[in-house]
Amino acid sequence: MMPAAIADKVRAGQEITAREHPNVTVIYADIAGLDRLQAELDSSDSLALSTELSRQIDAAAQEFDIERVRPVRNGYLGSCGLTVPRLDNIRRTVDFALECQRIIERFNNEASLHLSLRAGIDTGTVSSGMIGEPSPVFDMWGTVVNLAHRMKNGMPDPGIYVTARVYDLSLIHISEPTRPRL
């Protein structure tokens, strides 16, 4: 799995070299409670639940032009502005995170579950490229990715956590109803 634009280049035989991308917003998210639930369900039910959650989150990502960078166990590493530069990548990423929360809330209401979203969002310059041999994987790295990951893992409660940089820039780019809360 990799962003579609990168997959097209790989299929065409083009070499994917490491490069820097300015102005990229990164979301690192996971679904809290999914590990516990998967342990309680049989394999078929666990797979069905995980598949449906992934399907709905991927559909939301497509709606907001968020690119899944690579699979993350029970979570999501995505970006906006990596392969297609966007002026509104912060707004799109925050709106995507809010939609993921709504998806999980619907799952909770429909199936009496207790899942929640924990997400970290940062913006800035990232690097990307193919890593590994003989089975290379597309990945993204840098301070922005690391900080989004640390924010997701470092917060005690579920929620959407944004860096000061995202918050400050969102005051300019995000309308009042979708402004992220710290």
Side-chain angles (χ1 to χ4, degrees), residues 167 170-171 173-181:
Y167 182 78
S170 72
L171 294 176
H173 299 292
I174 298 177
S175 63
E176 187 66 33
T178 60
R179 181 175 293 145
R181 288 181 240 139

Side-chain angles (χ1 to χ4, degrees), residues 98-117:
L98 291 168
E99 181 59 23
C100 288
Q101 273 187 328
R102 286 188 284 275
I103 290 167
I104 292 168
E105 287 171 9
R106 274 195 310 271
F107 265 79
N108 287 338
N109 291 335
E110 291 170 4
S112 298
L113 302 176
H114 301 288
L115 303 174
S116 57
L117 181 74

Side-chain angles (χ1 to χ4, degrees), residues 46-64:
S46 177
L47 180 60
L49 174 73
S50 296
T51 299
E52 184 57 23
L53 271 169
S54 290
R55 187 192 68 71
Q56 289 190 29
I57 289 171
D58 285 341
Q62 187 172 7
E63 177 183 341
F64 292 103

